Amino acid sequence: MLDTQTFDSRDPEFKQPYGAVPSGTPVRLTLRPPRSGGFSEAVLIAYFESRNEERQELAMTWQGMEGDRDRLTVELPTGDYVGLIWYSFRLTGLDGRLEELGPYQLTVYDSSEVVPSWFGQGVTYQIFPDRFRRTRVPDPTGMVGGRSVHTSWYEQPCYRPDANGEVRNRDFFGGDLKGVREKLPYLRGLGVDTIYFCPVFEAPENHRYGTADYEKIDPMLGSEEDFRELCQAAHALGMRIMLDGVFNHQGFVSRYFNGDGFYPEPGASQSKDSPYYPWYNFSHWPDQYDSWWGIYSLPAADESEPSYREYIFGGEQSIIRRWLRAGADGWRLDVADELPDDFVHGIHQAARETSPDAVIIGEVWEDGSNKIAYGVRRKHILGGHCDGLMNYPFRNNLIAYLLGGDAYCFMQAMEQLRENYPPFAFFSAMNFLGTHDTPRILTILGVGSDCRDHDKDWRAAYRMTPEQASLGRRRLKLGSLVLFAFPGSPMIYYGDEAGMEGFEDPFNRAPFPWGREDRELTDWYTALGKARGELAPLREGDLRWLRARGRVLAFLRTKEEQEVLAAVNAGDAPETLELPWPAVDCMTGTALEAGEQTLPPMTGWLLVKQKGR
């Protein structure tokens, strides 16, 4: 009896304003229960979660009839509250029965600060530094970690355990910052606005997520001067640089923990008098300590320790401030939901004080508005913490659609984010199809799964058949079109545009195939980047769905009088679609008339209105 005609939180007829609201905004809520239900009263019940779960009950006022339905309204004040409000409705029948609707989420955020728009509007390119481009074969002698270097750029990364049963990730290919600088024109030609680097600081492993020294560029990548020159060159081409901040843990082999004694200064494992000893929690010094997910080689930092906070963000020479001054434009926070909220806030504040245009993006794998980590509801996107998040819900739902799911499910998942996220976070999301933590998107779309039912040797050796590669390429074209047309920053994982394949780490981290690129895909991505750069609606326009049913997904991006229509048919049969105006496809130059048009199977359009019509 009580349905979306009674209340729909996404319909302005029932809730105004739409979605998340700034603190201090009153929210008007309306119910339209059927008169046949015989309800005598309705009450709004609101739980202010971060205010000790304060509960308010507000009687709704009868406003009259609309056809065969009653209309009741109430205004919910938010005052100075920031956090989630869970609200529901209790209706009482004339016969005394009770019926409830809800609960629904209302996100109330702090809007006192303007979030820089450059990140969400631009195209991002993720680089795994060791595997992008090298200018020389480096000599690892004397470097932390006991490294080896592949002499051939096209060898397979090591994946088997060593004699001790460990996968140590100490095999390097020698990608460097000068190599990235060489390829800046290529990246700019691809339409890239932001280069997001996986960690570049000294570390023993090729992925560099076990930081050894935050103050030093890894010598295999180059020097601090190389980094500064790269930033200057990127800025001169209109590009920005985002660094990966790994602050939840360091490496066992680091100047701070110094588990193998590589560094001359005593670390936490050598001496309790070390200035770094308070940074770690030992249950039995020196061999039992908190570590990230129980991995001994990644001792976890105590983010409540004042000296650690001062080092990372508090002091004038802190790590956050230092590298922004060196030329970086923002930080991506690794495992952001494992950092305390006030620690993230401290990073955010230090970044903005150092560079008012700096952006902080958090790694979160779920809906970041209501994420609970370690028993705490997180404040990721309530203002003053993260400006945007990595959008794994976008990736997961888009892949599900491309592999045969209903477009309606993708739309519903994205609408849930749009409803729950403050606008700044929705439009500053880092959207993607793949990262260094996921199998290559071409492989997933061509093979159809991650093939975990096979052993790792099988996955290491596997290469797609020509039929699988062709299917993966066609699906990737459709997925990337949606990616570049959707609100938020479209992020390319290095080499996806070149047709790289492979399952999970390290097979998704092979060296970039310079000279062996899939030109068809590279040209496609280049055209998408060009469209994103030239069409304002794709960078900052509103979103309106035209169709999301079955195998067809179509939506409009609108800014003032400009409109762009993205349409995808991921099915194997032609579909009809009503076009609102005569259009030209940016990807092919094909002209289409207004009205009903046939969208062929496995085809995507990026349409702009024909000039003068």
Side-chain angles (χ1 to χ4, degrees):
M1 181 178 294
L2 299 178
D3 52 18
T4 55
Q5 294 185 54
T6 302
F7 181 75
D8 182 350
S9 63
R10 297 174 187 168
D11 188 335
E13 178 72 19
F14 299 96
K15 176 179 176 291
Q16 291 186 351
Y18 173 87
V21 299
S23 180
T25 304
V27 179
R28 188 167 185 81
L29 299 163
T30 299
L31 283 183
R32 296 175 63 250
R35 171 52 66 100
S36 60
F39 296 108
S40 60
E41 67 174 14
V43 173
L44 171 71
I45 304 167
Y47 287 93
F48 291 70
E49 183 179 77
S50 60
R51 193 186 283 163
N52 297 317
E53 296 193 0
E54 173 189 323
R55 172 186 169 117
Q56 294 184 15
E57 292 198 10
L58 302 174
M60 303 188 72
T61 303
W62 186 73
Q63 299 289 337
M65 295 281 295
E66 287 186 0
D68 61 353
R69 291 177 176 268
D70 291 301
R71 181 179 178 87
L72 302 104
T73 64
V74 67
E75 189 173 272
L76 174 63
T78 59
D80 60 358
Y81 179 79
V82 173
L84 300 187
I85 299 176
W86 299 97
Y87 65 95
S88 56
F89 304 97
R90 185 179 66 231
L91 293 93
T92 304
L94 292 168
D95 56 1
R97 77 186 187 286
L98 300 177
E99 292 196 35
E100 288 204 11
L101 272 177
Y104 302 91
Q105 175 182 325
L106 172 64
T107 305
V108 184
Y109 63 95
D110 180 358
S111 64
S112 60
E113 185 177 71
V114 176
V115 173
S117 61
W118 59 264
F119 177 78
Q121 292 184 13
V123 175
T124 301
Y125 191 90
Q126 181 186 5
I127 290 179
F128 193 86
D130 185 56
R131 310 287 161 84
F132 184 66
R133 174 75 169 176
R134 73 182 180 190
T135 57
R136 70 198 189 290
V137 179
D139 178 2
T141 303
M143 295 184 186
V144 66
R147 314 177 189 194
S148 64
V149 176
H150 294 267
T151 54
S152 171
W153 186 247
Y154 293 103
E155 292 176 10
Q156 184 179 66
C158 297
Y159 67 92
R160 290 191 178 94
D162 63 12
N164 297 318
E166 293 185 82
V167 178
R168 292 172 57 81
N169 298 300
R170 304 295 173 89
D171 64 310
F172 287 74
F173 283 83
D176 54 44
L177 297 182
K178 288 182 178 178
V180 177
R181 186 175 174 185
E182 277 186 4
K183 291 300 181 179
L184 289 179
Y186 164 78
L187 295 175
R188 194 57 179 150
L190 201 60
V192 172
D193 300 285
T194 303
I195 299 172
Y196 152 45
F197 280 106
C198 289
V200 297
F201 304 121
E202 183 171 69
E205 296 93 1
N206 54 46
H207 53 68
R208 298 187 174 95
Y209 279 94
T211 309
D213 190 344
Y214 293 111
E215 298 177 38
K216 184 179 180 183
I217 297 293
D218 192 283
M220 198 171 281
L221 290 174
S223 64
E224 181 170 336
E225 185 59 30
D226 290 326
F227 176 77
R228 289 175 178 270
E229 290 177 357
L230 171 63
C231 291
Q232 291 170 4
H235 293 160
L237 292 174
M239 291 187 284
R240 301 185 192 240
I241 302 295
M242 177 171 284
L243 294 177
D244 208 331
V246 187
F247 303 126
N248 169 264
H249 51 268
Q250 289 84 43
F252 177 83
V253 181
S254 69
R255 58 176 283 207
Y256 316 107
F257 199 83
N258 208 10
D260 67 348
F262 176 85
Y263 291 91
E265 181 185 6
S269 69
Q270 275 89 41
S271 172
K272 293 184 179 181
D273 294 327
S274 167
Y276 309 121
Y277 175 77
W279 290 13
Y280 306 96
N281 290 316
F282 289 92
S283 55
H284 181 275
W285 182 82
D287 57 346
Q288 296 177 22
Y289 46 86
D290 292 346
S291 61
W292 185 71
W293 286 53
I295 301 172
Y296 87 91
S297 61
L298 298 174
D302 179 359
E303 296 99 344
S304 67
E305 165 58 35
S307 64
Y308 184 61
R309 289 173 170 244
E310 182 76 2
Y311 181 75
I312 297 298
F313 61 79
E316 276 303 306
Q317 302 304 315
S318 63
I319 298 305
I320 293 295
R321 300 175 192 269
R322 170 182 175 155
W323 291 106
L324 289 173
R325 293 191 186 109
D329 301 283
W331 289 88
R332 176 263 194 188
L333 300 183
D334 185 58
V335 294
D337 47 15
E338 301 192 35
L339 299 171
D341 283 324
D342 62 345
F343 191 91
V344 175
H345 174 67
I347 290 174
H348 183 275
Q349 186 174 23
R352 286 287 210 277
E353 288 174 358
T354 306
S355 175
D357 219 22
V359 165
I360 303 296
I361 302 295
E363 180 195 14
V364 178
W365 286 57
E366 303 86 6
D367 180 333
S369 70
N370 51 36
K371 177 68 184 288
I372 294 176
Y374 300 95
V376 177
R377 184 84 70 184
R378 305 311 304 272
K379 299 178 180 179
H380 292 313
I381 49 176
L382 294 180
H385 292 78
C386 296
D387 300 312
L389 302 174
M390 296 187 73
N391 201 346
Y392 276 94
F394 174 90
R395 171 192 180 267
N396 297 339
N397 285 279
L398 183 53
I399 290 175
Y401 160 66
L402 294 170
L403 291 180
D406 196 310
Y408 179 79
C409 296
F410 174 78
M411 180 193 73
Q412 286 294 98
M414 295 305 97
E415 282 301 289
Q416 182 174 348
L417 292 185
R418 180 156 64 150
E419 182 179 17
N420 290 350
Y421 280 29
F424 73 79
F426 186 73
F427 283 90
S428 292
M430 181 189 282
N431 302 331
F432 51 85
L433 288 166
T435 74
H436 66 291
D437 286 326
T438 65
R440 282 285 174 180
I441 184 59
L442 187 63
T443 297
I444 288 292
L445 296 180
V447 178
S449 78
D450 60 9
C451 292
R452 290 288 183 148
D453 52 333
H454 294 275
D455 64 29
K456 200 160 188 176
D457 285 335
W458 183 92
R459 295 196 299 278
Y462 190 82
R463 295 296 179 269
M464 288 188 288
T465 66
E467 293 76 19
Q468 289 173 327
S470 175
L471 176 60
R473 187 181 298 109
R474 284 179 286 154
R475 285 173 168 167
L476 181 51
K477 283 185 173 183
L478 303 184
S480 56
L481 190 150
V482 175
L483 173 68
F484 273 70
F486 207 75
S489 177
M491 190 270 278
I492 307 167
Y493 180 47
Y494 84 100
D496 280 350
E497 83 284 7
M500 291 181 69
E501 62 176 288
F503 289 105
E504 81 283 4
D505 163 31
F507 315 121
N508 61 348
R509 302 176 182 181
F512 191 100
W514 297 110
R516 306 179 184 183
E517 302 93 329
D518 183 321
R519 292 308 314 176
E520 182 182 343
L521 278 178
T522 303
D523 291 346
W524 179 264
Y525 271 89
T526 300
L528 288 173
K530 183 174 185 289
R532 180 85 182 195
E534 293 178 351
L535 301 174
L538 296 186
R539 297 193 302 275
E540 51 187 326
D542 294 330
L543 170 68
R544 180 163 67 88
W545 302 95
L546 287 186
R547 182 171 166 186
R549 186 175 68 253
R551 307 302 291 132
V552 175
L553 179 67
F555 54 90
L556 278 170
R557 298 293 307 281
T558 305
K559 179 176 171 55
E560 298 170 352
E561 300 301 315
Q562 293 181 278
E563 290 183 319
V564 179
L565 195 163
V568 166
N569 176 7
D572 55 9
E575 299 275 358
T576 58
L577 187 67
E578 191 78 17
L579 301 187
W581 21 254
V584 175
D585 183 10
C586 293
M587 307 306 292
T588 63
T590 302
L592 298 165
E593 293 298 321
E596 190 174 282
Q597 291 289 340
T598 298
L599 180 55
M602 297 297 289
T603 298
W605 291 336
L606 190 62
L607 304 179
V608 294
K609 188 175 182 179
Q610 289 189 43
K611 293 181 179 180
R613 299 188 63 184

